[in-house]
Amino acid sequence: MQEMTTHERMTHTYGHLEPDRVPITDWFWESTLVRWQSEGLPPDVEVERYLQLDDIAQIGMDTSPRFESKVLEETDTYRITRDGWGMTKKNLKPISATFEHLDHMVKDRDSWQIAKARMTPTPDRINWTLLQTNYQRWRSNGAWVTVSPWFGYDIVSARMCSTEMILYAMAEDPDWVKEMCDHGCDLALSLLDMILEEGYQIDEIMWCDDMAYRNGLLFSKDMWRNIVRPYQQRTIDWAHAHGIKAHLHCCGRVAELVPDLMAMGLDALNPLEVKAGMDPMQTKKQYGDDIVLRGGFDIQNWSDVQKAEEDIKRILPAMMRSGGYIFASDHSVADNVSLADYKHIVSLAKQVGTY
């Protein structure tokens, strides 16, 4: 089969047809890129281009309350900052893990009202320069254009407030949590409308909404139905009304929600986190004809190239069957993976993943 562009390959994948090979993509830690630069990655070249991954162009936007960002403390090994979400956090340098949550500005309904008033859909929340400079090139090169706004339960609990506070509030004041989630969704969809109104075409919306951990959902399924599901359904419906695919990123053991998400019309799910108890092959067997799956390869095994090879040869043939699969790790590529080993993983995935 003639080599496809990424757009052609992703279109086949979303149509549950077999492309020339599985699409290949991933996310990389900052510390991983620092390591790889010491191992030969040119600092002035996009890592995706250097590794010849699929050409997936990602558009971001600012959906935060835009609190003043500032560095509060910095040493040779870490940095403490307060960001636009009002979150005070500690990050190692270079960033190599999830940040340590130290404090947050939104602590109750009153402080939420201050944040809410700042979350208005203004054009300057969109990186128009990125679009104006690159959009025609993306389309000419056959890229797949994805927009990734931040909103919903995950962002409220992990970026604007604290997980503990929000989980208590879901039980004690669910209307407040629902209001925060809904308002963030409203802001994101309004900004997306602005992009479309300017004539830019989007292929996929992928939003991050971690709702689970290694034992299952972080909250009850009734809480999901009452608080989370409504804005997720609105997002999916908005996407489909504009001919756009809806793709959810949800870490943790989210297996019990997959049938519900499919019933809502969700088009794709990632990352199928193996280390949290997700079984990618079983998920593919049960649901793979009706939803696109991305990920499902245990990143803990990628620092041992022999284990990575065994996983790819065992799992990938089942995942790629009849299309509908995108190759990636089960979260992101950590800095214990060498550049040489990752290049070998990509090469093997292309070899095994060819139809």
Side-chain angles (χ1 to χ4, degrees):
M1 184 185 294
Q2 184 177 355
E3 184 177 2
M4 293 180 168
T5 66
T6 293
H7 194 277
E8 291 169 338
R9 191 172 293 127
M10 292 290 283
T11 299
H12 271 65
T13 298
Y14 267 106
H16 294 272
L17 303 171
E18 295 185 352
D20 56 341
R21 63 163 173 81
V22 294
I24 301 174
T25 187
D26 225 312
W27 296 299
F28 307 95
W29 291 6
E30 179 184 303
S31 56
T32 305
L33 300 182
V34 170
R35 172 182 176 167
W36 288 359
Q37 286 172 4
S38 74
E39 296 173 343
L41 174 67
D44 56 346
V45 176
E46 293 178 0
V47 63
E48 293 84 0
R49 182 173 302 178
Y50 175 79
L51 295 166
Q52 297 183 337
L53 305 183
D54 274 276
D55 191 0
I56 298 177
Q58 190 157 324
I59 303 168
M61 56 182 62
D62 183 0
T63 53
S64 77
R66 290 182 156 181
F67 291 119
E68 181 185 6
S69 298
K70 59 175 63 177
V71 177
L72 303 178
E73 182 181 343
E74 186 165 9
T75 71
D76 292 339
T77 58
Y78 69 84
R79 181 185 294 113
I80 297 176
T81 60
R82 190 178 72 197
D83 63 16
W85 294 92
M87 177 73 69
T88 301
K89 57 190 179 183
K90 180 179 180 180
N91 261 324
L92 300 178
K93 296 170 60 179
I95 296 173
S96 59
T98 302
F99 60 79
E100 180 183 356
H101 175 188
L102 301 178
D103 199 7
H104 50 276
M105 294 178 66
V106 177
K107 299 176 183 293
D108 50 32
R109 278 181 172 268
D110 289 341
S111 51
W112 157 243
Q113 290 303 319
I114 295 172
K116 181 180 179 180
R118 303 172 66 95
M119 296 170 67
T120 55
T122 53
D124 61 332
R125 290 179 175 272
I126 298 166
N127 189 341
W128 296 110
T129 301
L130 175 73
L131 282 164
Q132 293 161 2
T133 303
N134 296 289
Y135 182 79
Q136 291 302 325
R137 176 177 59 84
W138 293 338
R139 288 305 179 198
S140 297
N141 292 344
W144 181 258
V145 179
T146 298
V147 64
S148 301
W150 281 26
F151 62 93
Y153 163 79
D154 182 27
I155 303 309
V156 167
S157 69
R159 297 284 170 175
M160 191 156 57
C161 304
S162 72
T163 300
E164 181 180 15
M165 186 186 84
I166 290 302
L167 289 176
Y168 273 110
M170 289 177 81
E172 297 172 353
D173 195 356
D175 289 344
W176 173 40
V177 181
K178 187 175 187 304
E179 179 184 332
M180 287 192 284
C181 292
D182 286 345
H183 186 75
C185 180
D186 290 341
L187 173 57
L189 297 185
S190 294
L191 295 174
L192 289 168
D193 283 334
M194 290 183 192
I195 293 175
L196 296 186
E197 287 166 3
E198 289 298 316
Y200 296 105
Q201 180 183 352
I202 298 166
D203 298 311
E204 171 190 84
I205 176 173
M206 181 172 64
W207 79 101
C208 296
D209 219 352
D210 292 347
M211 300 177 285
Y213 69 127
R214 64 183 179 86
N215 290 332
L217 295 179
L218 289 162
F219 39 76
S220 73
K221 203 163 180 184
D222 281 343
M223 289 177 174
W224 172 76
R225 291 189 188 98
N226 295 331
I227 299 172
V228 178
R229 186 187 188 280
Y231 74 79
Q232 291 183 338
Q233 185 70 73
R234 282 200 295 127
T235 302
I236 294 168
D237 291 344
W238 179 92
H240 291 172
H242 295 89
I244 296 169
K245 301 300 183 184
H247 186 168
L248 171 66
H249 166 89
C250 180
C251 291
R253 192 169 185 171
V254 72
E256 68 181 285
L257 274 189
V258 175
D260 297 270
L261 294 168
M262 289 170 54
M264 293 163 61
L266 186 71
D267 297 298
L269 176 69
N270 80 77
L272 311 180
E273 194 173 5
V274 177
K275 54 189 175 293
M278 291 295 288
D279 183 335
M281 295 176 71
Q282 182 61 30
T283 306
K284 173 70 176 182
K285 182 178 179 180
Q286 286 183 269
Y287 310 116
D289 290 340
D290 300 304
I291 189 169
V292 171
L293 301 172
R294 166 181 156 164
F297 282 87
D298 191 346
I299 190 61
Q300 295 175 118
N301 290 340
W302 284 13
S303 59
D304 183 330
V305 73
Q306 183 175 344
K307 288 183 179 179
E309 282 189 6
E310 291 171 356
D311 279 355
I312 291 170
K313 291 176 180 178
R314 177 177 61 89
I315 298 171
L316 184 51
M319 299 301 293
M320 65 187 283
R321 191 172 299 125
S322 301
Y325 176 69
I326 301 167
F327 179 84
S329 70
D330 70 341
H331 191 272
S332 52
V333 182
D335 57 15
N336 62 346
V337 181
S338 73
L339 177 60
D341 284 352
Y342 187 75
K343 290 169 74 173
H344 180 70
I345 287 166
V346 171
S347 177
L348 184 60
K350 288 182 177 180
Q351 176 187 330
V352 177
T354 295
Y355 288 94

